[in-house]
Structures are given as structure tokens and as C-alpha cells.
Amino acid sequence: MSPAPAPYYRRVNTGGNNNNKQKQGRSQRRGTSCTQSCVCVVCTEDRPIVTTAPGMSALTGVETSAGVVLRRAVELDGSGRYQDSLVCYQEGIQLLLQVLKGTKDETKKAHYRQKLRSYMDRAEQIKHHVLKEQEEGKYHKQIKIVENATGYSYENLFKPYVDEMLTEVWVEDPYIRHTHQLYNFLRFCEMLIRSPSKVKKINLLTSRDDENGKDQQMSGLQEIKKSLLDYGVILDVTFSSIHDREIRFNNGWMIKIGRGLDYFKKPQSRFSLGFCDYDLRPCYETSVDIFHNNHTRKT
């Protein structure tokens, strides 16, 4: 059973003259933000955002970021992507706490506290729901990546599953051979290093390139291995004639990508958008299946 649906928040007017109320009415019909007399977490199409109130210009950027993240949290929550929504709720709550800390007006602070309680209660509900599914071995989520979709960098895809409990990773991918595939694996390793995880070992099981690229494959993997050692991470490479593609974390998560790590299309040129930022790089059509098991290491 899924948790109760996400709450949504409508505008709350803290005062102002009739002219301001009329402006607010027009604002609501247009789906824009409240008047300046309204300091609240507001809603356009039942989705929460945070507006800027007078005298809080220093917090404008934080408020805007909180609104974007919390709106995304509710969208993910509503579509049943609870693990992803939990991450967004947690980030949005931290941003909104910064806004609360920098707010002096007691009326505004009370209003922010009320909204924070609502978001925190919802995040706690989702957390218990996800943990219950994990314990029962029922957790399974599928993400469909459509042709030419963007926004699926390794950071975005793996972020909800890479936490401080993660210390060891197993990657099974038969195609870590050619230059662009080696770069993909390198970017995956960089994602792990930058994450909150405390990864100490990465195990790669791939197939050997017995054609002209054999030397390139071996030298590339050796360079990655040497570079990882500088960060205290051991890379163990094993070759086998495998066909499966999956990534397993010792915190219980297992991610199976139809195309393995090689789901990005080649950029148009070295100076086109997406060459460096994988979030801007178009993808091939593929599916991502995410599971959670108590034991991830194969015997």
C-alpha cells in the first residue's frame, strides 16, 4: 500500500488592503505568485513554491531554490516515485530552514514553521513506506528513458541510492571497451567520489576486447585504477564473457539499466552542449529497473 497522497498548499493572505486582495485574485487566476503582502509557501496548480517577501532580498535565491525543489518533490510524490521525492523533500526542507533562520518577522516565521511541519511529516511518511518495502523485499521501480531524453546524468540517476552507508560497488557491464565507454565508467567513478558515500572498493566485471582495441582497454582501465587509488579507492577488474548489465551497492540497492552505462548518444561535436555536462546529453531509449535487497553480493 502506498503512503497517503502528498498535501498541497493554497495561498494564505497575511493582510493588505482591498486593492492588494484584488491583485491577489488576478494573480491566482493567472497562476502566478501572491501579492507582496502575502508571505507564504504558495501553490500554482496545487504545487508548492516559495515567494519572496519585502525585506528578504538576501534570501531570494534560497527561497527560489526551495520552491523549485519542493515543487519537484510533490510532482515525484504524486507520480509514485517515492524514493526520488524523499530526496527532494529533504533538500527542500533544508533550504526552507535557511529561509526560516534568516526571517525576523514572527508572523512569517510561524507560517514557515507550519509549512515545514507539513513537508517534514510527509517526508517521514514516505521514509517509513520505502523502508517497509525494502524490509519486505518488495521494492521495485522502473524508469523509462525515452529516445533523445536529457537530464539523466549519472548524478541524477544514482543520487537517491548513493548514501553514507555505501562502501563497495559491483559493476557488471560487458561493454567497457571503447574510448567513450571507458569515459562513461570514469564519469561513474567520479560520481561516486563526489557523492556522500564512503566507497572504498569498486568491482568491475566486463568482457575483454580481443580485437584492435585490447591495448586501449587495458591502458585505460589501468589509468582509472591508478587515479582511484589517489582517493583511497581500490578498483578490481575481472574479465568474463558476460551479458548481464547491473550495478549493485552494498547498501542494498541494485540498478539494472538495459544499455548498461552506455546509454548516452555521441555529442554533435567537442564544442556542443552535452559534451561535458551529461545532463544535457541526449540518451538512447532504455529502461532502468531499481530493486532493493538485503544481500547484494552474488555467491
Side-chain angles (χ1 to χ4, degrees):
M1 179 180 296
S2 61
Y8 63 86
Y9 307 103
R10 297 194 180 279
R11 292 177 176 80
V12 178
N13 190 16
T14 59
N17 57 30
N18 291 333
N19 187 42
N20 275 343
K21 293 179 180 178
Q22 292 173 359
K23 289 181 181 178
Q24 185 186 32
R26 290 194 297 271
S27 172
Q28 289 173 322
R29 287 192 294 273
R30 291 194 302 266
T32 54
S33 60
C34 301
T35 64
Q36 287 187 339
S37 63
C38 179
V39 282
C40 58
V41 176
V42 301
C43 171
T44 55
E45 299 177 351
D46 295 343
R47 295 177 301 177
I49 59 175
V50 182
T51 55
T52 306
M56 297 180 65
S57 57
L59 296 177
T60 299
V62 181
E63 285 187 294
T64 302
S65 298
V68 171
V69 175
L70 289 169
R71 181 163 59 245
R72 180 60 174 159
V74 173
E75 290 173 351
L76 292 167
D77 190 352
S79 62
R81 295 174 59 180
Y82 299 121
Q83 181 69 32
D84 295 331
S85 70
L86 179 59
V87 173
C88 289
Y89 275 126
Q90 291 170 337
E91 290 185 1
I93 287 168
Q94 290 301 315
L95 291 169
L96 205 52
L97 282 170
Q98 293 181 39
V99 176
L100 175 63
K101 187 176 180 180
T103 301
K104 305 301 180 183
D105 185 278
E106 290 300 324
T107 301
K108 299 174 188 176
K109 290 177 75 171
H111 188 75
Y112 285 132
R113 288 192 187 99
Q114 177 187 354
K115 297 307 176 186
L116 277 165
R117 281 195 295 271
S118 298
Y119 286 124
M120 292 171 75
D121 288 346
R122 180 57 184 166
E124 194 65 21
Q125 288 176 0
I126 294 174
K127 183 178 179 180
H128 285 304
H129 172 71
V130 172
L131 287 173
K132 186 173 183 291
E133 285 195 326
Q134 292 174 8
E135 291 171 358
E136 295 175 352
K138 295 179 180 179
Y139 188 93
H140 174 227
K141 181 178 77 171
Q142 185 176 77
I143 300 172
K144 291 284 189 180
I145 301 178
V146 299
E147 190 77 8
N148 292 319
T150 57
Y152 289 97
S153 66
Y154 298 141
E155 286 80 5
N156 276 343
L157 187 61
F158 291 101
K159 185 177 182 178
Y161 318 106
V162 178
D163 55 28
E164 294 181 353
M165 300 296 292
L166 178 60
T167 60
E168 189 168 2
V169 177
W170 291 265
V171 179
E172 294 186 12
D173 192 323
Y175 297 107
I176 309 294
R177 301 178 182 178
H178 305 304
T179 300
H180 76 280
Q181 294 166 343
L182 290 164
Y183 276 128
N184 287 339
F185 181 65
L186 176 61
R187 290 297 293 265
F188 175 77
C189 293
E190 290 174 339
M191 178 275 297
L192 292 173
I193 296 298
R194 289 197 303 268
S195 73
S197 70
K198 300 175 182 177
V199 173
K200 295 300 180 184
K201 187 175 183 181
I202 300 172
N203 304 275
L204 172 63
L205 179 62
T206 189
S207 59
R208 193 185 300 274
D209 188 347
D210 292 324
E211 299 179 358
N212 296 331
K214 180 179 179 180
D215 292 340
Q216 175 183 266
Q217 181 190 31
M218 296 303 297
S219 63
L221 289 173
Q222 280 299 122
E223 288 183 40
I224 295 173
K225 186 174 185 176
K226 181 179 178 182
S227 182
L228 283 170
L229 279 176
D230 293 336
Y231 289 85
V233 179
I234 297 172
L235 172 61
D236 182 48
V237 180
T238 305
F239 295 101
S240 177
S241 56
I242 62 170
H243 300 284
D244 292 339
R245 297 173 176 87
E246 67 178 41
I247 296 170
R248 288 172 285 119
F249 298 150
N250 71 337
N251 59 4
W253 291 108
M254 178 188 298
I255 296 94
K256 295 189 176 185
I257 309 174
R259 296 182 60 94
L261 292 174
D262 192 12
Y263 59 86
F264 295 104
K265 290 190 172 182
K266 182 180 179 181
Q268 295 179 354
S269 72
R270 290 181 298 168
F271 300 100
S272 62
L273 295 180
F275 184 83
C276 297
D277 188 343
Y278 276 33
D279 268 327
L280 299 177
R281 188 175 294 194
C283 299
Y284 290 105
E285 180 179 354
T286 191
S287 61
V288 182
D289 287 282
I290 300 155
F291 305 89
H292 189 278
N293 299 311
N294 290 330
H295 303 285
T296 60
R297 188 165 189 172
K298 289 186 175 179
T299 56

